[in-house]
Amino acid sequence: MSDIWGHVIGVVIILLIVAFVGVWIWAWLPRHHRVFSRMARVPLENDTAPGERRGDEQRTNNHGEEQR
């Protein structure tokens, strides 16, 4: 392998590290805290009771026929 490939790989690794750190810093900015906190609570919110289905959803069996 030639020396140039060693330099190219080194530059690529440095760019990937800089990109990773940049995204990490962006994610931890205080202005994103409210949005991330709201998204973290989404799985805990319960719109419907267990066994209850919404009016716009229809159940179908394996053959694509509507069930009652």
Side-chain angles (χ1 to χ4, degrees), residues 1 4-14:
M1 192 188 291
I4 191 74
W5 281 111
H7 293 300
V8 169
I9 291 171
V11 169
V12 168
I13 289 173
I14 296 296

Side-chain angles (χ1 to χ4, degrees), residues 32-46:
H32 296 124
H33 179 72
R34 186 177 71 239
V35 174
F36 289 154
S37 294
R38 187 175 52 211
M39 288 190 306
R41 288 189 304 270
V42 168
L44 304 176
E45 295 174 358
N46 193 0

Side-chain angles (χ1 to χ4, degrees), residues 1 3 5 9 14 19 24 31 50 59 61 63 66:
M1 192 188 291
D3 290 337
W5 281 111
I9 291 171
I14 296 296
W24 187 80
R31 67 177 180 218
R59 292 187 181 177
N61 61 15
H63 305 292
E66 185 176 328

